């Protein structure tokens, strides 16, 4: 059971203004800046399957799975003849495989000596540019680089409505208590330091992997730690 020790009524004099501001920023980023990303990803996906990429990359990924003793993730599903869902599912699996994507992006999968290398490289670069044109992809925390800006911006973005609502619920509950105890300035500093620390920890654990991280969860986890320190004995 989670007991929230609301020790005094929230009024205009002790209103958690920084908490409200953080919630507002997170919501504005999600609804105003991330709202067009779905369309960007759809256009990138459409380009991918109209290019030479699936004919070159997906068979190589299947062979990679065989060589590494792993099963094709599409084999557990029954796809109708001619259904393109199999390749879509395989692409998702491929892009979630950090080892394969690292080898692909460093030229270890498609060798420059291959006759189709130039066509593949042009198509792959275009596909990556289309994906990177989305706000989310541009500003999330990438595991293959250290970018001070993205280490900050990632904590104000979310991967979906459920992700946003869950984080904001805990931010409000914890913010009322922790900001009330620390004051607005210290509370904001603690929130940002916790988020940046989570970013550094994630980079150390996942360095070099494909993909990245986004969301306020790291900062909110820091607030949970402060909550236990401030109210653990009450």
């Amino acid at each position: 059971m989670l007991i929230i020790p609301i020790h005094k009524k929230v009024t205009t004099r002790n209103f958690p203004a920084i908490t409200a501001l953080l919630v507002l920023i997170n919501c504005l980023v999600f609804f105003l800046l991330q709202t067009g990303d779905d369309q960007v990803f759809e256009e990138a996906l459409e380009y991918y399957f109209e290019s030479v990429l699936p004919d070159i990359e997906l068979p190589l990924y299947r062979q990679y799975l065989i060589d590494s003793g792993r099963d094709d993730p599409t084999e557990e599903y029954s796809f109708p003849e001619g259904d393109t869902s199999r390749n879509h599912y395989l692409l998702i699996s491929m892009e979630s495989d950090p080892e394969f994507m690292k080898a692909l992006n460093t030229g270890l999968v498609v060798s420059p000596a291959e006759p189709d290398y130039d066509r593949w490289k042009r198509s792959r670069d275009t596909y990556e540019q289309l994906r990177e044109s989305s706000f989310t992809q541009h500003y999330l925390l990438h595991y293959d680089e250290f970018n001070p800006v993205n280490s900050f911006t990632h904590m104000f973005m979310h991967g979906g409505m459920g992700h946003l609502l869950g984080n904001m619920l805990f931010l409000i509950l914890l913010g009322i208590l922790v900001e009330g105890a620390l004051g607005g300035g210290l509370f904001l500093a603690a929130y940002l330091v916790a988020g940046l620390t989570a970013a550094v920890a994630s980079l150390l654990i996942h360095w070099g992997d494909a993909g990245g991280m986004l969301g306020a969860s790291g900062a909110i986890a820091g607030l949970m730690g402060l909550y236990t320190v401030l109210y653990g004995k009450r």
Side-chain angles (χ1 to χ4, degrees):
M1 178 184 293
L2 176 63
I3 300 174
I4 305 296
I6 301 295
H7 55 292
K8 56 186 175 183
K9 184 179 179 181
V10 177
T11 66
T12 54
R13 297 186 65 181
N14 65 0
F15 181 76
I18 298 299
T19 298
L21 178 62
L22 289 171
V23 171
L24 179 62
I25 292 173
N26 277 276
C27 290
L28 288 177
V29 168
F30 183 78
F31 289 111
L32 297 183
L33 300 179
Q34 292 186 262
T35 187
D37 285 353
D38 287 343
Q39 180 63 31
V40 172
F41 287 129
E42 285 179 13
E43 290 174 0
L45 197 63
E46 183 178 350
Y47 171 82
Y48 184 91
F49 285 103
E50 289 178 351
S51 72
V52 300
L53 293 176
D55 294 334
I56 296 174
E57 294 180 351
L58 298 186
L60 291 172
Y61 180 58
R62 286 194 180 96
Q63 187 60 48
Y64 161 82
L65 293 174
I66 294 171
D67 293 343
S68 57
R70 292 158 58 188
D71 294 329
D72 184 336
T74 63
E75 293 299 328
E76 57 184 296
Y77 300 99
S78 245
F79 294 100
E81 188 67 30
D83 189 358
T84 59
S85 300
R86 177 186 293 274
N87 282 343
H88 281 74
Y89 189 86
L90 194 63
L91 174 62
I92 293 171
S93 175
M94 183 185 83
E95 292 186 335
S96 302
D97 190 321
E99 185 178 338
F100 180 83
M101 291 304 297
K102 185 177 181 179
L104 181 69
N105 292 326
T106 54
L108 297 178
V109 175
V110 183
S111 167
E114 296 288 336
D116 288 332
Y117 177 81
D118 289 338
R119 283 202 309 154
W120 168 79
K121 189 68 169 65
R122 285 194 299 270
S123 298
R124 167 52 63 175
D125 288 346
T126 301
Y127 173 62
E128 291 293 344
Q129 288 169 7
L130 287 171
R131 283 171 52 86
E132 290 291 337
S133 66
S134 77
F135 179 88
T136 300
Q137 193 68 22
H138 189 71
Y139 287 105
L140 61 76
L141 180 72
H142 295 277
Y143 290 141
D144 58 356
E145 66 174 356
F146 175 71
N147 186 321
V149 174
N150 292 44
S151 298
F152 175 80
T153 56
H154 84 280
M155 69 178 83
F156 296 99
M157 303 191 301
H158 290 82
M161 181 65 73
H163 190 199
L164 175 71
L165 290 178
N167 273 345
M168 293 306 98
L169 173 63
F170 276 91
L171 175 55
I172 291 169
L173 291 175
L174 293 163
I176 290 173
L177 296 163
V178 178
E179 184 179 349
L182 296 180
L186 277 177
F187 172 77
L188 178 60
Y191 182 90
L192 295 177
V193 168
L196 292 172
T197 303
V200 172
S202 294
L203 285 174
L204 291 174
I205 295 170
H206 299 287
W207 182 255
D209 289 355
M213 179 181 84
L214 78 169
S217 301
I220 292 171
L223 297 184
M224 290 179 179
L226 280 174
Y227 163 78
T228 60
V229 172
L230 294 168
Y231 295 95
K233 294 184 178 181
R234 295 197 180 189

